[in-house]
Amino acid sequence: KILGCSAMTVTRAFRQLEQTGLFEIGKTGVQKYLKGKEEGDVLLKQLGDALITPVAETIYVNRKELEEKTKTTERFFSGCSALAQMGREAEEEIPCYAVNKKTCCLSGSRDFLNAETQVEVQLWKYDPAVLANDGRVDPLSLALCLRKPLEEFILPASDSASADEKND
C-alpha cells in the first residue's frame, strides 16, 4: 500500500522472487511471506541482474520550474548528486533529482541544453519519498538507477574502502 502497488503487481513480484530459488516461502494464516536463504548482502548480489531501475524516464527542466512546482519533500537527490551527498566521488555535471512520475507536473525536455539553468529529473516508477532518507534516494534504488554494483552503495563507505584495499 505504501508504494502504491496493486495486489497483482505484488503477486507478480512475489512469484518472480520465489522462482529464483533464493527464498523460503512461509505462511502466517492466509499471508504468504518470503525469507531469504542467505544474508541480505549475498541476496542482493545474487539478484543484482534481475532487479530493474526505478527510473521510467529522464528529463531536463529549468531549475526554477522544479523549485516552484515541487516541494522539497517531493524531490530527492539521485544519480551523481546523491553520490556527492553521500561523500562519494562523482562527476556531477548538473544536479539530479528523483520525483514520482505519477504526481509529477513538470514540463521538460529530453535534451540537455544549459548546465546553468537546467537540472536533471528522473521520473520514477514509484514514489522515491517512501524509501528516501536525508533528502536523497535510498542506496538500493540509487545503485539500480546508476547500474553500479550494489555493494558500492549498501556497504558503509569505510567498509567498501577496506574491501577495495583487500582487492588490490
Side-chain angles (χ1 to χ4, degrees):
K1 289 180 182 179
I2 293 172
L3 288 176
C5 296
S6 69
M8 183 185 302
T9 299
V10 173
T11 300
R12 187 180 305 123
F14 187 94
R15 286 184 184 143
Q16 288 173 336
L17 290 171
E18 185 178 12
Q19 290 171 354
T20 66
L22 300 173
F23 298 90
E24 296 173 2
I25 290 79
K27 219 173 182 187
T28 304
V30 295
Q31 299 287 328
K32 289 174 77 176
Y33 65 87
L34 295 172
K35 180 180 178 187
K37 293 179 180 178
E38 303 285 342
E39 293 295 317
D41 57 339
V42 174
L43 280 173
L44 287 173
K45 282 183 183 180
Q46 293 172 332
L47 288 171
D49 292 338
L51 299 174
I52 60 172
T53 180
V55 180
E57 183 181 355
T58 299
I59 59 173
Y60 298 93
V61 301
N62 183 289
R63 182 185 322 262
K64 288 182 182 178
E65 179 184 356
L66 176 74
E67 292 169 358
E68 290 171 1
K69 291 188 175 182
T70 64
K71 299 175 186 174
T72 56
T73 56
E74 298 172 327
R75 62 178 185 264
F76 303 90
F77 285 111
S78 187
C80 289
S81 296
L83 287 177
Q85 291 281 317
M86 295 169 68
R88 309 276 175 125
E89 282 190 39
E91 292 182 30
E92 182 182 14
E93 191 173 332
I94 63 169
C96 179
Y97 296 91
V99 299
N100 185 354
K101 180 182 179 179
K102 294 174 186 170
T103 59
C104 179
C105 60
L106 300 170
S107 59
S109 165
R110 292 177 191 234
D111 300 320
F112 172 56
L113 303 172
N114 188 330
E116 292 181 22
T117 61
Q118 286 184 309
V119 295
E120 179 180 342
V121 176
Q122 297 173 342
L123 304 176
W124 277 30
K125 299 170 188 172
Y126 58 87
D127 186 358
V130 174
L131 301 172
N133 192 14
D134 293 327
R136 64 178 173 265
V137 299
D138 66 284
L140 176 58
S141 299
L142 177 60
L144 293 172
C145 50
L146 291 171
R147 290 291 181 208
K148 298 254 185 181
L150 297 173
E151 57 271 12
E152 286 185 34
F153 302 96
I154 305 305
L155 297 174
S158 60
D159 290 347
S160 52
S162 60
D164 289 342
E165 289 167 8
K166 290 175 189 174
N167 292 333
D168 288 342

